Amino acid sequence: MSERKIIDARGTYCPGPLMELIAAMKQAEVGDELEILSTDEGSVNDVPEWINKVGHEMVGTTQEGDVWHIVVRKAK
Amino acid sequence: MKILIVGGGMGGTIVANNLARRIGTEVRAGKAQITMLSASDRHMYQPGLLYTSIGRLAPDELYRDQRSLLEPEIEFHVDPVETFDLDNNRVVTKSGKTHSYDQLVIATGSRAAPETIPGLAENSVNCYTEAAALEMLRQVRDFKGGTVAVVVGVPHKCPMIPLEVTFVLHDYFKDKGIADKVQFQYTYPIGRLHALAPVADWAKGEFARLGINTTTLFNMKEVDGNKIVHSEEGETVDADLLISVPPHRGMEVIEKNEMGANGFIPTDRLSLRMEGRDNVYIVGDTTNLPISKAGSTAHFEAETVAENLAALIKFGTTVRDYDGKVFCFIEAGKERATYAMFDYNNPPAPKAPNKAVHWFKMAYNQLYWASARGLL
Ligand SMILES: Cc1cc2nc3c(=O)[nH]c(=O)nc-3n(C[C@H](O)[C@H](O)[C@H](O)COP(=O)(O)OP(=O)(O)OC[C@H]3O[C@@H](n4cnc5c(N)ncnc54)[C@H](O)[C@@H]3O)c2cc1C
């Protein structure tokens, strides 16, 4: 596994955190972890919804102040 | 001070003109120099391509002579850069010339890359280049009925295109009198119809009214020869006419020079400097910032960079950060439009569409040229 890639999508609305994650996921290798930083609370639901639908793995979600750190792993 | 601007599109042109107005005296006194290198002697109004793809705007109406848009203090060469030698503050062009600089601005834009999804280039049409828009016109004009599917890759430039192309084609087939023979299937990568939640809510009502089917969380994996699109999520969409918003990449020159994955250059979201470089600024679609790849983004970034470059000459320091500002018109049909404006600290809150905004958008199609010249 390479080092965790951070996607800083704080304060961005269009295309927004999930679309950035989808684009970054295409570039990642199976097993890579990606951490998305989002100030949009909606990401807490959006990201797992997509990750589960497509079959990747959720690693965890934490909140620091008004920033959510959502960590996922590319599974296929 | 030698300032070199690579790219003569929306971003590069505004940086150059805005800067020329601020430091004209220094340029005329020989204390500063502004040079632009571009890949074309023409400047294209890219939003017009959508209308070319339905035969409403002829290709020659999309272009202006690039030199005519530039302030006289700017030295302009049509000679694309092939090598960026950032360690030695110079670039080498296609013709073999070397240009050195003290400050470099890169605004080479982005390009649709349908070839990155198996089967997409062969089985779909799009409106992202003049040639592609003309092929789209041919297929749209010859279409007699069936399913029109809209598929969307990420990232893509102009976030409004997926919705706009759907509405425009819907109107086109209605005007042609074959609306009853055409079904629409709109897809979108995330779990709603548009990235901006208020726009997605509005589109939901409009699509229901027009009978447009939708599938969300749909990311293209491949397209087979029967125009069946398979998604990463395990679903399929069939089309008789497949309209794509292909995933985009930065320019090949950026990839070849290993300046950023997929041709998007890692950029500081506030200073707009290339990460790890003090004298290289990135503007427009070429940044890797998670914000809209749009002319307005390039415009606001360009104003920030021009002001800072002028300040470097006049004060010896930069004076402001980019605040993440983006402005998008949203055409709502029936000659009504609204707009969304947002930045890193303020989310968008579009108001109800009205006619005045629609007519302003129509006027903007011409005002674009004043905007590129840095007058607006
Ligand atoms: C169909 C369509 C509709 C759109 N609608 C809208 C809209 O409604 N609103 C909106 O805000 N935006 C819209 N856009 C997006 C907008 O046009 C772009 O985001 C904007 O042009 C980006 O500006 P830029 O300066 O980054 O790149 P560009 O304007 O693409 O300019 C890139 C420049 O770099 C030059 N170049 C390339 N390679 C080299 C090289 N190696 N050396 C030197 N120069 C080079 C090119 O010749 C060009 O001059 C639309 C785009 C399309 C295609």
Side-chain angles (χ1 to χ4, degrees):
Chain A
M1 194 195 78
S2 56
E3 85 185 71
R4 185 183 281 179
K5 182 175 164 38
I6 310 257
I7 305 158
D8 185 355
R10 288 173 298 156
T12 67
Y13 307 96
C14 184
L18 177 55
M19 213 111 77
E20 285 301 322
L21 176 65
I22 292 171
M25 197 61 109
K26 274 203 205 162
Q27 308 315 317
E29 306 279 334
V30 172
D32 282 358
E33 285 188 2
L34 293 104
E35 176 171 347
I36 184 124
L37 313 189
S38 175
T39 41
D40 174 7
E41 192 173 359
S43 301
V44 177
N45 297 321
D46 284 359
V47 172
E49 185 191 9
W50 179 70
I51 288 289
N52 293 333
K53 184 161 185 192
V54 83
H56 297 306
E57 282 168 37
M58 281 300 298
V59 175
T61 302
T62 51
Q63 185 181 359
E64 279 173 31
D66 53 8
V67 180
W68 281 269
H69 297 245
I70 306 170
V71 183
V72 303
R73 187 180 298 119
K74 180 159 172 148
K76 57 180 210 181
Chain B
M1 182 184 283
K2 278 184 173 176
I3 297 165
L4 180 64
I5 298 165
V6 179
M10 186 77 198
T13 303
I14 294 178
V15 172
N17 283 329
N18 189 309
L19 187 60
R21 292 221 176 79
R22 291 173 189 272
I23 62 164
T25 314
E26 286 83 351
V27 173
R28 285 187 293 276
K31 291 189 186 135
Q33 191 185 325
I34 309 172
T35 305
M36 171 181 280
L37 299 174
S38 191
S40 172
D41 61 349
R42 295 189 303 170
H43 188 123
M44 184 201 265
Y45 175 57
Q46 297 180 33
L49 285 168
L50 177 62
Y51 300 94
T52 301
S53 73
I54 52 160
R56 298 268 162 82
L57 200 58
D60 60 338
E61 292 175 73
L62 300 169
Y63 295 98
R64 292 277 194 282
D65 173 48
Q66 173 65 10
R67 175 71 260 183
S68 75
L69 298 172
L70 296 173
E71 291 289 316
E73 291 86 358
I74 300 160
E75 190 185 312
F76 175 59
H77 303 283
V78 180
D79 194 4
V81 170
E82 293 200 332
T83 308
F84 287 92
D85 182 3
L86 303 181
D87 289 336
N88 294 302
N89 296 332
R90 63 185 186 200
V91 304
V92 183
T93 64
K94 192 173 175 192
S95 75
K97 290 205 181 72
T98 298
H99 292 261
S100 59
Y101 60 81
D102 298 303
Q103 301 288 333
L104 175 67
V105 179
I106 304 177
T108 44
S110 65
R111 66 191 166 98
E115 69 280 4
T116 55
I117 295 192
L120 188 66
E122 303 85 312
N123 295 298
S124 72
V125 288
N126 70 74
C127 62
Y128 277 94
T129 62
E130 183 186 324
L134 292 174
E135 175 57 20
M136 179 164 156
L137 169 63
R138 199 184 62 73
Q139 293 198 22
V140 164
R141 197 193 50 206
D142 294 347
F143 191 62
K144 302 276 181 299
T147 301
V148 179
V150 177
V151 285
V152 181
V154 284
H156 56 261
K157 74 175 142 187
C158 189
M160 296 317 298
I161 285 284
L163 291 176
E164 280 180 348
V165 77
T166 308
F167 287 124
V168 160
L169 287 177
H170 189 275
D171 281 356
Y172 179 92
F173 293 125
K174 197 170 149 205
D175 291 348
K176 210 176 163 189
I178 60 167
D180 55 332
K181 298 196 184 74
V182 180
Q183 296 82 47
F184 272 86
Q185 176 66 51
Y186 175 91
T187 70
Y188 203 66
I190 62 171
R192 55 178 183 251
L193 300 180
H194 190 261
L196 295 170
V199 176
D201 288 343
W202 164 78
K204 198 173 168 185
E206 291 296 299
F207 279 4
R209 190 173 64 77
L210 299 172
I212 294 172
N213 298 320
T214 60
T215 305
T216 54
L217 291 176
F218 190 94
N219 288 282
M220 288 178 271
K221 188 172 164 194
E222 58 184 340
V223 186
D224 69 28
N226 298 321
K227 293 197 169 67
I228 301 176
V229 189
H230 301 263
S231 79
E232 298 280 355
E233 294 79 10
E235 288 176 280
T236 56
V237 157
D238 297 24
D240 298 301
L241 175 61
L242 186 59
I243 307 291
S244 63
V245 176
H248 277 57
R249 296 177 89 117
M251 288 297 149
E252 262 171 38
V253 65
I254 307 298
E255 291 186 67
K256 279 197 188 133
N257 283 269
E258 296 181 359
M259 288 156 68
N262 282 350
F264 297 116
I265 303 175
T267 305
D268 183 87
R269 72 210 299 263
L270 301 175
S271 71
L272 299 176
R273 286 193 178 109
M274 179 175 177
E275 277 176 17
R277 301 276 167 183
D278 279 347
N279 65 341
V280 182
Y281 290 84
I282 316 297
V283 169
D285 291 356
T286 318
T287 76
N288 75 336
L289 296 176
I291 54 179
S292 310
K293 296 201 182 300
S296 72
T297 311
H299 184 146
F300 295 126
E301 289 175 347
E303 287 181 346
T304 307
V305 167
E307 188 173 345
N308 280 336
L309 288 171
L312 278 175
I313 292 171
K314 292 175 191 278
F315 299 102
T317 175
T318 58
V319 287
R320 74 166 163 120
D321 285 339
Y322 174 58
D323 59 3
K325 188 162 157 198
V326 178
F327 175 100
C328 283
F329 283 110
I330 305 166
E331 280 288 356
K334 291 194 222 131
E335 298 187 347
R336 291 168 311 134
T338 179
Y339 62 88
M341 190 152 81
F342 44 97
D343 59 37
Y344 292 143
N345 296 312
N346 298 291
K351 305 212 166 46
N354 63 41
K355 293 209 174 201
V357 180
H358 167 75
W359 290 114
F360 185 72
K361 162 82 204 229
M362 292 294 107
Y364 184 79
N365 291 339
Q366 294 306 319
L367 286 172
Y368 173 85
W369 301 109
S371 167
R373 290 173 62 209
L375 299 174
L376 191 73

